[in-house]
Amino acid sequence: MKEISHIGKIVDINPQFTTVEIISQSACSACHASGLCGMSEYTKKAIQVPTDPYTEYNIGDEVEVLLKQSMGVKAVWISYAIPLIILMILVLSLSQFLKNELWVGLISIAGVALYYLCVYLFRDKLAQEYVFYIKAK
């Protein structure tokens, strides 16, 4: 089973969730010239992982946060691929019926916005599928 992993530090522990802070970095940050061009990007993110009562971690411990790779691929489909497909279908099909490009563009963008609204409304159900877990480093 392939996994996506990030190194992080535990910042909070409660009975339901353990909060781990990871540093997400862009591809530019790995470049040897990142200090010169200023394009490198570091973002701190807090990930909530269900607390395992059988393991003992302390605040400040460095851990590895893991997610199944298939869940990462599914996230890319939900957030990027499906909206692109919706946009392309709407633009291509509406341009056959409507001659005003402004309306074609506005309706297509509204269709993608409606899709993202549906994703937002079902965020709790989607969040149940994406379960991170901790492995001691």
Side-chain angles (χ1 to χ4, degrees):
M1 170 174 69
K2 293 184 179 180
E3 299 167 329
I4 299 170
S5 69
H6 291 281
I7 303 298
K9 188 179 282 189
I10 296 177
V11 293
D12 184 38
I13 300 173
N14 64 42
Q16 289 88 16
F17 294 105
T18 299
T19 305
V20 179
E21 187 178 75
I22 63 169
I23 296 177
S24 178
Q25 50 188 340
S26 69
C28 292
S29 63
C31 176
H32 67 281
S34 65
L36 298 174
C37 72
M39 295 298 290
S40 65
E41 203 174 284
Y42 291 96
T43 307
K44 289 185 178 182
K45 295 181 182 179
I47 305 287
Q48 288 191 330
V49 181
T51 300
D52 184 6
Y54 303 109
T55 58
E56 190 170 321
Y57 295 110
N58 297 313
I59 294 176
D61 287 352
E62 193 169 283
V63 294
E64 190 174 7
V65 180
L66 302 165
L67 176 71
K68 284 193 241 174
Q69 187 175 12
S70 61
M71 291 287 105
V73 172
K74 185 176 179 180
V76 169
W77 272 96
I78 290 171
S79 58
Y80 299 114
I82 294 173
L84 177 65
I85 292 168
I86 291 171
L87 182 70
M88 295 305 296
I89 288 172
L90 287 173
V91 166
L92 294 175
S93 63
L94 288 174
S95 63
Q96 298 297 318
F97 300 110
L98 300 174
K99 297 301 174 198
N100 189 342
E101 292 176 357
L102 177 65
W103 284 108
V104 170
L106 290 174
I107 293 170
S108 299
I109 291 171
V112 173
L114 181 64
Y115 169 78
Y116 279 121
L117 176 66
C118 291
V119 170
Y120 177 76
L121 293 174
F122 290 106
R123 69 186 180 276
D124 293 332
K125 185 175 189 226
L126 289 170
Q128 291 174 358
E129 294 179 24
Y130 291 89
V131 178
F132 292 91
Y133 57 97
I134 295 175
K135 184 169 115 180
K137 186 171 185 261

